[in-house]
Amino acid sequence: MLKIHLVPCLKDNYAYLVHEPSTNAVAIVDPSEAPPVFAALETHGLKLTHILNTHHHFDHTGGNLPLKEETGARIIGPKADADRIPGIDEGLGEGDTLTFGAAKARIFDIPAHTKGHIAFWFEADKAVFTGDTMFAMGCGRLFEGTPAQMWSSLSKLAALPPDTRVYCGHEYTLSNGRFALTLEPDNATLKKRMIEIERLRAAGAPTIPTTIGLEQETNPFLRPASKELQKTLALEGADLVAVFAETRRRKDVF
Ligand SMILES: [Zn+2]
């Protein structure tokens, strides 16, 4: 089984150190910067073999070149944005499989935050790395895509088994949850979750990983079919993409 260690980077980014013990394959997912990754490798006594990028933004790839130079790690990222991934060795897209030691990840194309954005789904380990597409109770901004594209991308992730752990790119959970409560103030699961999130953040602890099942119940961007959410937005019975688009628009100005 994979061991996954969270590596805080920059202000609110998370990179993830992923260790496959039977072969000692070691990946870092979305290294914003190199120093905290070198420190984590030393703490855990590991040698880096792979760098996995979900998308091209600098706060997900800034560590690529210094890490590759020092360790020779192989860089894997979205094929659709290969020209924007520093030092990339291999581009992957929808339907591809990444072999990582004895583990395998299935790749999904999940564009809209950026044109080329991928997710790595380790099915046997019940873990998915979602970059800046799905956050705990949130989703990424639509920098290079449409609401319909983002809804389609999120729907692929939401269809994974409910016990799948979600490892996302940022610690935005508290503000995402506060926004979610404005749309579904009577969502009991959401209210209960926010008490736990407030407690974790007050203690300086991460709120990641979340799970697909918990996101389905509390993430407003996965809930355009919610009657309460539609009522808040005055979009009762509207098309799901229209409800999603209005939710995203409101979050942009929250
Ligand atoms: Zn991003």
Side-chain angles (χ1 to χ4, degrees):
M1 288 296 282
L2 296 178
K3 291 180 186 161
I4 301 172
H5 307 284
L6 185 146
V7 183
C9 292
L10 304 177
K11 184 167 144 271
D12 52 27
N13 278 82
Y14 290 134
Y16 300 98
L17 198 58
V18 184
H19 179 208
E20 199 287 286
S22 76
T23 62
N24 269 332
V26 175
I28 188 76
V29 179
D30 284 353
S32 317
E33 50 178 348
V37 180
F38 284 126
L41 288 166
E42 192 171 318
T43 300
H44 297 286
L46 298 173
K47 281 202 168 68
L48 194 67
T49 59
H50 294 70
I51 296 169
L52 309 182
N53 297 129
T54 61
H55 67 294
H56 75 85
H57 284 155
F58 182 76
D59 61 328
H60 296 255
T61 59
N64 277 20
L65 295 180
L67 288 165
K68 182 175 183 173
E69 191 177 357
E70 183 73 22
T71 65
R74 182 173 175 76
I75 300 182
I76 294 153
K79 186 158 49 183
D81 260 335
D83 56 341
R84 298 197 282 181
I85 304 289
I88 193 166
D89 294 297
E90 185 180 4
L92 297 178
E94 183 78 25
D96 287 340
T97 298
L98 168 70
T99 300
F100 171 66
K104 285 194 188 323
R106 223 172 102 188
I107 307 302
F108 298 112
D109 279 331
I110 49 168
H113 177 68
T114 53
K115 174 174 69 73
H117 193 308
I118 56 175
F120 298 87
W121 177 39
F122 290 89
E123 180 176 7
D125 290 274
K126 300 179 188 295
V128 65
F129 295 90
T130 61
D132 286 357
T133 296
M134 182 189 288
F135 296 122
M137 292 188 277
C139 82
R141 285 180 184 263
L142 308 183
F143 290 123
E144 301 176 7
T146 64
Q149 267 180 324
M150 182 55 102
W151 173 242
S152 159
S153 295
L154 288 173
S155 297
K156 285 183 196 175
L157 299 173
L160 298 177
D163 60 350
T164 305
R165 291 168 293 159
V166 177
Y167 294 89
C168 59
H170 291 268
E171 179 61 65
Y172 290 159
T173 314
L174 190 56
S175 76
N176 283 343
R178 286 176 179 156
F179 172 69
L181 276 173
T182 67
L183 300 179
E184 292 190 291
D186 295 331
N187 179 333
T189 310
L190 174 58
K191 286 196 282 189
K192 184 164 158 257
R193 184 179 187 186
M194 278 304 278
I195 293 168
E196 174 65 6
I197 297 297
E198 303 256 8
R199 189 188 67 74
L200 286 169
R201 294 311 293 151
T207 62
I208 308 301
T210 173
T211 64
I212 292 293
L214 189 53
E215 292 312 306
Q216 283 169 341
E217 290 186 66
T218 58
N219 187 329
F221 297 99
L222 302 186
R223 296 177 58 74
S226 153
K227 296 255 186 302
E228 186 187 9
L229 186 144
Q230 290 186 0
K231 188 155 183 259
T232 305
L233 299 176
L235 285 172
E236 284 153 295
D239 172 68
L240 296 187
V241 172
V243 178
F244 170 81
E246 176 60 11
T247 306
R248 184 61 258 179
R249 192 194 66 75
R250 290 204 185 196
K251 180 64 168 65
D252 287 344
V253 295
F254 178 68

